Amino acid sequence: MSVDAAPVDVTIVGGSYAGLSAALQLARARRSVVVVDSGARRNRFADTSHGFLSRDGEAPAVIAAHGREQLMAYPNVRFVEGMADTVSRGGANLIVSIQGEKIAARRLILATGVIDELPSLPGLQKRWGRAVFHCPYCHGYELGQGRIGVLATGENSFHQAMMLPDWGPTTLFANDVFEPDAAQAAMLEARGVEIERQKVVALDGPKATLVLEGGRTVSLEGLFVASRTRMASGLPAALGCAFEEGPLGPFIRTNEAKETSVEGVYACGDAARSAGSVSHAVGDGVTAAVAAHKSLIFDVH
């Protein structure tokens, strides 16, 4: 489709859970939809996904593929594989460029996601999503109440350490990054959290064995890290979307209808909330799609 063709109703940039959910609502409203998808889901490193009703324990790729298969039964939906490069205004339309192809749409939904920035620690990245996690609701139960660690990355690690004893005996590895004050130390003690102040120098073993400075090792069932996040796409900033600074990183500011500060542009999923999950992403997609659909009916400019 070229920019000279009649505009579609909505272009959705991002074909993961939020984007697919948004597309489904619009497809069922018999609106024309284009979904642009690069295929790089945030949770692609995990073997299984948990906490999403009716799909608990399935592989993330299976959930996404099943959603896409159902969506493609609607003839008014088109998928474009690739990364959206730029977006611009063309009169009343928003024009998205994908590797040379230009698609004009009356509304735009950003479901572009975020990228996790992990501490630079040997052995950590390759265990991400398998023995190293950020969300206990997503992965805590499967650790079988075994020994759990929290690798401190800052103040947010206190919150993690307070939460995790519900999933297993917990040790907070301060790692020269975070030192709890007296009140925090008392709260951690009340929750049974141990504090290890020896610096962590590497991860080893089949799960999450922490190698400490001096050579001592601590074997864990799982390690939790409060990763920093950044936008996976430059489109929100290029459009001039306003951002908020969350505890883990910036996210796109939206109102209760998931509309951004830019007219005609909506955002959903991890890119538009301070913290997320598959369930949150799916719900956000519904909200954004319904709002975009209503705007096509009632907002006449």
Side-chain angles (χ1 to χ4, degrees), residues 257-274:
K258 306 308 292 182
E259 186 172 14
T260 72
S261 60
V262 178
E263 184 179 344
V265 180
Y266 299 77
C268 54
D270 289 353
R273 55 169 45 247
S274 60

Side-chain angles (χ1 to χ4, degrees), residues 254-294:
T254 62
N255 62 16
E256 66 279 359
K258 306 308 292 182
E259 186 172 14
T260 72
S261 60
V262 178
E263 184 179 344
V265 180
Y266 299 77
C268 54
D270 289 353
R273 55 169 45 247
S274 60
S277 67
V278 174
S279 299
H280 280 124
V282 169
D284 283 354
V286 173
T287 302
V290 170
H293 179 223
K294 289 180 178 179

